[in-house]
Amino acid sequence: MIVDEKTGKFGRFGGQYVPETLMPVIKQVEEAYFAAREDAGFRAELDHYLRDYVGRPSPLYLAERLSEEVGCKVYLKREDLNHTGSHKINNSLGQALVARRMGKPRMIAETGAGQHGVATATVAALFGFECVVYMGEEDIRRQAPNVFRMRLLGTEVRPVTSGTRVLKDAINEAMRDWMANPETTFYCFGTVAGPHPYPLMVRDFQSVIGREARAQILEAEGRLPTRLFACVGGGSNSMGLFHAFVSDSDVELIGVEAQGRGLSVGDHSATLSAGSYGIIHGSATYLLQDEDGQVQPAHSVAAGLDYPGVGPEHAFLKETGRARYLSVTDDEAIDAFVTLSRLEGIIPALESSHAVAQMLKMRGELREDDLVIVNISGRGDKDAEEISRLLAERGA
Amino acid sequence: MSRITHAFAKAQEEGRGALVVYITAGDPNLAVTRELVPVIARAGADVIELGMPYSDPLADGPIIQAAGQRALAAGTTVKGVLQTVHDIRSRCDVPLLFMTCYNPILQHGVADFAEDAADAGLDGVLISDLPPEEADEWTTAASDCALDRVYLIAPTTPPARARVIASRTSGFVYLVARTGVTGASAELAPELRGLVAHIREVSNLPIAVGFGLREPEQVRAACSIADGAVVGSAVVEIIARLGGAEDVFYAVQQFVGSLAQATRREAGTT
């Protein structure tokens, strides 16, 4: 199977399945991004903002009590310590610089957990873009603190009431906005899904996670890790971590999906584990669908994983066997959220808690000489209220 | 000559533009669709565009999205729509264009779908999110079954790209009247005339203008610069208002009749 970055094909996955009304503007983004990618000035500018504004490199932290708990060394890649509290800023910053090169005055974005919305609102404030973020009504309820932050940053948060009122519907609305305003608007897409060039561009901007982690672990341990764990919704933090390790064939890549309440229709977001081949949001990939190709509703306690599609490059890594995709339930993720908080004093995002939960689940398999990196893609402050509600429900 | 091309040629001969009317299949249910298609044809539509409802329709505005949700809630499936087309064909020979997102076709199997669509009596298919770059498999399957392949050309489509799209098209060229999704009302964009002229240079196919046309006056304007006009949301709104009530047939017939009147060209303005 062939990867062609120029056309955004990862084997039979990827591509550009969008209405003609969007095609010309997507081609513009493609052209602008490929030009920027080759431009040393662009890269220097991005590096500058990543260092001095975002605070990179993010630490790779040896979690001692967690290591003791599972019986091998576990490092945490601390994307939660980035400005705005998640890995999303790596991508929003990169795309904002592309938008600025294109001379677009307005940015739009979708958001689920609100982390990508906050990151985009932040760079919009930084560079003076007008900014509109689409967010499902249900997610607005679940992630109120992030809604407040976006508004504070000068962004308009537009509630999405169509469809299932979550992330996928927010993407639909943002695409419709883009179709209506192609001249003025840049769509800052939050994950490694969507039409080409987004899967490639977002992966490139997020790949700083893995590049840093690889150098940091070599420096700390003098060897490569044996296993990487990262959560997968659309898949940007995991692709960001995995990318630098894809050709290190001894490093096992483990993507962790949201099994929600179980693998029945409407109860989970485990697209790679339980979905099938088709098209969603402009890309050929795995998705949750019925036999007519209608997209089925997804569920996860973590709003950022509540998505019935997944990035095409993940579908490719699954199909080629290079990465493994497993899933954990809402309850397992909530337990891991509490465990990491109490063992390490680090409150992870509910999304990242899925990666922690999978590692904890596999502790029986881990040997003493295993060397693990778990991506803590974001901080959990935004989830505190929802978690306390859920724990109260459970009677804990 | 396909049934769709023939309908455009016949309208041209009669000194008018062709009227294409869109409805969502299965809105409010397939039994109503089955009755509505012959009514719309008798009221003067030259081609009827049947939309396959989809859970995540990117190109549709709120009115057609809502129609799709009603149709899905009523249990509309690809098989059901094809069966309905088959039923309609036994008593009505109006050209039928199927509009859909690509994923339902992909799940059906691309070659199987083309065969089943042709067997049911569809004349052409417009796949709203399949650009020509990704369309090789579909092009083969559709031409094997003599189905017309209709594509959109947008006001933002660069000339070189418009040429590629036109070369992949059969039946007619669907020219988007303005950017954005279906349904929102707008004046005809002034640059449309230039676009039509450009498409004429690269294609001999008839050109129909659609997206945002709601009023007979807009149909008249579209038919004065192109070979036909597509009206969708305004018809769908009537169906939304009246649902499955008997009145819906009369109301749609009246409205489509008024649109058909507006396709007549004054002498000497073609």
Side-chain angles (χ1 to χ4, degrees):
Chain A
M1 290 209 292
I2 291 167
V3 173
D4 180 2
E5 296 205 339
K6 207 66 213 166
T7 58
K9 292 283 188 178
F10 304 94
R12 62 184 178 134
F13 305 105
Q16 292 173 315
Y17 296 89
V18 296
E20 182 56 28
T21 40
L22 263 187
M23 212 52 198
V25 68
I26 284 181
K27 293 278 182 201
Q28 275 177 27
V29 173
E30 191 184 320
E31 208 171 289
Y33 174 60
F34 279 111
R37 204 187 191 202
E38 300 306 317
D39 179 351
F42 176 82
R43 290 200 305 269
E45 196 176 27
L46 179 60
D47 288 346
H48 156 70
Y49 282 107
L50 286 175
R51 188 184 63 235
D52 295 339
Y53 188 72
V54 175
R56 302 205 71 92
S58 68
L60 186 73
Y61 167 70
L62 173 61
E64 291 178 13
R65 296 187 66 200
L66 187 64
S67 299
E68 219 167 279
E69 177 81 14
V70 300
C72 71
K73 277 190 173 173
V74 177
Y75 281 83
L76 305 178
K77 182 60 175 162
R78 298 292 309 275
E79 291 299 300
D80 58 314
L81 292 178
N82 293 338
H83 180 43
T84 75
S86 84
H87 72 293
K88 291 294 187 186
I89 188 87
N90 304 328
N91 170 51
S92 294
L93 186 59
Q95 290 198 41
L97 291 174
V98 174
R100 199 168 66 166
R101 278 172 74 102
M102 294 175 74
K104 305 279 183 183
R106 179 173 181 264
M107 274 177 100
I108 56 170
E110 82 295 341
T111 197
Q115 298 298 78
H116 175 58
V118 168
T120 305
T122 298
V123 297
L126 175 64
F127 297 120
F129 292 107
E130 180 193 340
C131 184
V132 173
V133 170
Y134 289 88
M135 188 168 186
E137 258 193 345
E138 169 65 12
D139 291 336
I140 287 180
R141 185 192 66 74
R142 288 195 278 190
Q143 307 286 343
N146 276 341
V147 175
F148 176 73
R149 289 164 79 195
M150 286 185 271
R151 290 184 174 143
L152 187 67
L153 289 160
T155 280
E156 179 191 344
V157 179
R158 285 197 192 156
V160 173
T161 55
S162 60
T164 42
R165 306 177 180 203
V166 292
L167 179 57
K168 85 167 170 81
D169 311 289
I171 295 173
N172 292 339
E173 286 307 324
M175 291 225 184
R176 287 175 190 130
D177 179 318
W178 203 22
M179 263 181 255
N181 305 290
E183 300 300 324
T184 58
T185 300
F186 185 94
Y187 185 4
C188 183
F189 195 67
T191 191
V192 290
H196 176 65
Y198 285 101
L200 182 82
M201 176 164 68
V202 178
R203 180 258 273 162
D204 286 353
F205 289 140
Q206 292 295 0
S207 64
V208 66
I209 302 172
R211 275 201 311 279
E212 285 177 5
R214 196 172 183 282
Q216 287 165 321
I217 196 116
L218 284 175
E219 189 178 332
E221 296 289 334
R223 63 182 177 123
L224 288 171
T226 57
R227 295 177 196 226
L228 308 181
F229 291 89
C231 65
V232 181
S236 71
N237 88 81
S238 43
M239 193 51 67
L241 177 65
F242 292 173
H243 187 61
F245 295 94
V246 165
S247 47
D248 300 319
S249 53
D250 291 337
V251 180
E252 193 181 359
L253 314 177
I254 299 170
V256 186
E257 297 191 303
Q259 203 183 109
R261 297 178 290 250
L263 289 178
S264 314
V265 171
D267 280 348
H268 68 92
S269 308
T271 308
L272 289 162
S273 311
S276 56
Y277 179 78
I279 289 165
I280 182 168
H281 293 137
S283 194
T285 183
Y286 276 71
L287 71 147
L288 304 176
Q289 59 183 334
D290 69 13
E291 60 173 23
D292 252 1
Q294 306 286 353
V295 179
Q296 287 174 331
H299 160 82
S300 170
V301 69
L305 302 182
D306 193 343
Y307 181 58
V310 68
E313 196 169 3
H314 279 295
F316 178 74
L317 292 179
K318 176 190 162 80
E319 200 157 88
T320 55
R322 179 62 190 92
R324 256 168 101 188
Y325 294 89
L326 305 165
S327 61
V328 301
T329 64
D330 285 349
D331 284 342
E332 288 167 331
I334 292 168
D335 289 343
F337 180 97
V338 174
T339 300
L340 192 68
S341 299
R342 295 195 180 159
L343 279 182
E344 298 290 345
I346 295 170
I347 303 176
L350 258 176
E351 290 75 15
S352 324
S353 302
H354 284 70
V356 177
Q358 183 60 50
M359 194 226 18
L360 289 170
K361 248 170 103 170
M362 286 171 85
R363 75 179 88 181
E365 258 184 60
L366 294 170
R367 293 191 321 264
E368 207 185 327
D369 61 346
D370 262 311
L371 183 59
V372 167
I373 297 177
V374 181
N375 201 18
I376 306 302
S377 55
R379 54 193 290 165
D381 308 47
K382 68 180 177 63
D383 299 310
E385 205 177 313
E386 183 76 355
I387 286 280
S388 69
R389 190 181 71 78
L390 291 166
L391 289 178
E393 247 176 41
R394 259 203 218 173
Chain B
M1 192 184 279
S2 77
R3 194 149 29 187
I4 290 173
T5 321
H6 182 255
F8 275 86
K10 182 165 162 277
Q12 175 71 24
E13 266 170 37
E14 293 171 7
R16 57 184 181 87
L19 176 64
V20 182
V21 171
Y22 170 95
I23 59 171
T24 297
D27 171 30
N29 55 57
L30 284 170
V32 170
T33 303
R34 187 162 44 229
E35 300 308 315
L36 210 42
V37 167
V39 169
I40 294 170
R42 279 198 303 274
D46 297 286
V47 175
I48 294 175
E49 187 182 343
L50 274 181
M52 175 67 205
Y54 192 58
S55 54
D56 294 74
L58 284 186
D60 292 341
I63 294 165
I64 292 179
Q65 279 177 53
Q69 291 191 351
R70 288 192 297 272
L72 288 176
T76 305
T77 61
V78 171
K79 280 198 181 101
V81 173
L82 292 179
Q83 181 58 48
T84 303
V85 169
H86 179 84
D87 297 346
I88 290 167
R89 269 292 167 254
S90 64
R91 57 204 171 100
C92 177
D93 64 355
V94 68
L96 290 172
L97 174 68
F98 189 58
M99 180 173 180
T100 180
C101 291
Y102 193 39
N103 202 37
I105 293 185
L106 206 55
Q107 300 314 315
H108 199 94
V110 174
D112 286 351
F113 176 82
E115 220 168 279
D116 293 348
D119 284 351
L122 287 172
D123 301 291
V125 181
L126 190 177
I127 307 175
S128 58
D129 58 353
L130 187 70
E133 289 88 340
E134 312 280 0
D136 287 348
E137 189 182 4
W138 168 246
T139 303
T140 309
S143 42
D144 284 352
C145 297
L147 284 171
D148 277 333
R149 302 171 307 278
V150 176
Y151 289 95
L152 302 173
I153 291 180
T156 46
T157 306
R161 187 175 167 76
R163 188 173 308 126
V164 172
I165 296 174
S167 73
R168 291 275 188 147
T169 301
S170 60
F172 68 94
V173 172
Y174 192 137
L175 179 59
V176 175
R178 47 157 186 80
T179 51
V181 295
T182 59
S185 63
E187 296 293 303
L188 285 189
E191 65 269 24
L192 272 185
R193 199 177 285 274
L195 274 165
V196 170
H198 176 74
I199 297 169
R200 296 258 192 248
E201 280 171 29
V202 298
S203 171
N204 295 321
L205 291 170
I207 302 167
V209 173
F211 277 43
L213 269 54
R214 309 178 51 85
E215 308 287 336
E217 275 319 300
Q218 291 170 312
V219 168
R220 195 183 311 279
C223 290
S224 74
I225 61 165
D227 305 303
V230 188
V231 179
S233 300
V235 180
V236 171
E237 259 177 350
I238 297 174
I239 300 170
R241 201 171 65 237
L242 298 173
E246 196 57 30
D247 295 354
V248 74
F249 301 106
Y250 181 72
V252 168
Q253 183 197 329
Q254 290 296 303
F255 182 64
V256 172
S258 71
L259 299 174
Q261 283 295 322
T263 61
R264 303 215 157 268
R265 300 197 180 98
E266 309 298 320
T269 60
T270 53

